[in-house]
Amino acid sequence: LASGSKGNATYIETKNTKILIDAGISYNKLKERLLSFDILLDTLDAILITHEHIDHVMHLAQIKKRTKAKVYINESSYYNLPKTVTCNLTDHNIFFINPESKYNIGDIYFVPISLSHDTKNIYGYLFKINNTNIAYVTDTGHILPKYYALLRKMNVLILESNHDVEMLLNSKRDYRLKQRILSNKGHLSNEQCEAILNDVLSEHTKHLILAHLSEECNTEELALKHAINAISNAKVNTNLFVGKQNEPILLDLEEDCA
């Protein structure tokens, strides 16, 4: 529903369960963008939080209050949420989760995996829904190779392709910010995304979504070029999409789950 530094939110719905990954856009925008696909946000079972940065949690309290959803979050992330969030957030229906532990919400099963970012904690998520496996991996400067075997089994891969290194270095951003983004606790570049895809793309990868593209230091064309290179090298039949900041995209995985 939204992917980028101005707010992040991804919605997953099955016949029995509705969850949201991150709460970086308002409840009204969630409803509006879902309604563009004729999806009515009348209830929400859970909100999974990746980390405590404001573009992922700004509207957590509002959405939780409006939907009565349970919040799944790492304990360190919870206690380091911005004060603008915690001042309106009660600890009712907050569930602390740990990396590499198995959880389920209705018929959605998931495992948090540890990523690398300048936060107290950062999770990616691996989901199993019927016979479909989905990975959500953004806001990280590095992915541990031990997770590659799991990522090769994913049918849907949502992976960060944040910046073009040359565009970042030539931008007007502060030197320290540039170094943070380029570090192992920053964001994956297009080149890093391609390198990871070279290791994890497989015959199982039916859909690839490039996520968290920088509006200032990247372009869709550059991000797509690197992803297409990896898909071509892997010789796989993978549908390619770009997650956008203000425009939702829809994947209907019903056939994949059959």
Side-chain angles (χ1 to χ4, degrees):
L1 301 178
S3 183
S5 60
K6 295 178 181 176
N8 295 271
T10 297
Y11 177 79
I12 299 177
E13 177 180 324
T14 71
K15 292 180 180 178
N16 304 308
T17 309
K18 300 177 180 181
I19 70 169
L20 187 70
I21 308 170
D22 286 335
I25 63 174
S26 71
Y27 177 77
N28 286 337
K29 283 185 178 179
L30 287 178
K31 289 188 67 175
E32 177 186 340
R33 294 181 189 183
L34 285 171
L35 200 57
S36 69
F37 301 120
D38 296 322
I39 298 172
L40 180 63
L41 183 63
D42 51 352
T43 61
L44 191 62
D45 296 293
I47 305 168
L48 277 60
I49 298 300
T50 58
H51 63 292
E52 64 268 22
H53 280 172
I54 195 66
D55 55 322
H56 296 260
V57 299
M58 179 180 290
H59 298 279
L60 175 59
Q62 175 203 43
I63 297 170
K64 179 179 181 293
K65 182 178 180 181
R66 296 286 294 270
T67 64
K68 310 300 181 185
K70 191 171 186 176
V71 175
Y72 291 75
I73 187 172
N74 173 268
E75 186 172 6
S76 294
S77 291
Y78 178 74
Y79 287 112
N80 284 276
L81 287 170
K83 291 183 179 179
T84 52
V85 175
T86 55
C87 68
N88 295 306
L89 186 67
T90 66
D91 60 4
H92 177 65
N93 264 358
I94 303 291
F95 188 72
F96 294 144
I97 53 177
N98 298 306
E100 300 178 21
S101 296
K102 296 179 181 179
Y103 302 93
N104 78 285
I105 304 164
D107 54 355
I108 297 177
Y109 295 81
F110 70 95
V111 173
I113 60 172
S114 294
L115 301 179
S116 179
H117 203 41
D118 59 339
T119 58
K120 288 295 182 180
N121 189 76
I122 171 76
Y123 282 153
Y125 289 105
L126 306 181
F127 298 94
K128 186 173 183 61
I129 306 171
N130 296 326
N131 295 319
T132 295
N133 298 316
I134 302 171
Y136 183 90
V137 182
T138 74
D139 292 74
T140 188
H142 176 67
I143 298 177
L144 293 172
K146 70 176 183 177
Y147 294 134
Y148 284 6
L150 292 172
L151 294 177
R152 291 186 195 107
K153 298 177 182 178
M154 297 296 112
N155 306 118
V156 181
L157 181 57
I158 303 168
L159 181 64
E160 179 172 65
S161 190
N162 176 256
H163 61 275
D164 174 78
V165 174
E166 185 175 351
M167 287 183 68
L168 174 64
L169 291 174
N170 290 329
S171 73
K172 296 181 180 180
R173 293 184 173 185
D174 179 83
Y175 173 79
R176 286 174 296 180
L177 176 58
K178 293 178 183 179
Q179 294 305 115
R180 180 184 75 81
I181 293 171
L182 291 169
S183 75
N184 276 350
K185 291 186 176 293
H187 291 275
L188 293 176
S189 68
N190 296 333
E191 293 85 352
Q192 289 172 306
C193 178
E194 179 181 350
I196 291 167
L197 289 173
N198 284 334
D199 281 318
V200 304
L201 285 175
S202 74
E203 69 276 11
H204 300 294
T205 318
K206 303 303 180 186
H207 308 284
L208 169 62
I209 301 176
L210 304 178
H212 216 294
L213 272 67
S214 169
E215 292 182 313
E216 180 184 351
C217 299
N218 206 356
T219 67
E220 287 190 20
E221 290 76 17
L222 286 171
L224 286 168
K225 182 185 77 171
H226 285 276
I228 290 169
N229 286 343
I231 290 171
S232 177
N233 290 336
K235 296 180 172 60
V236 292
N237 184 20
T238 300
N239 297 313
L240 181 57
F241 306 87
V242 174
K244 302 177 187 295
Q245 183 65 80
N246 298 306
E247 182 183 337
I249 58 174
L250 174 69
L251 268 68
D252 186 348
L253 304 176
E254 189 171 359
E255 290 185 4
D256 295 336
C257 293

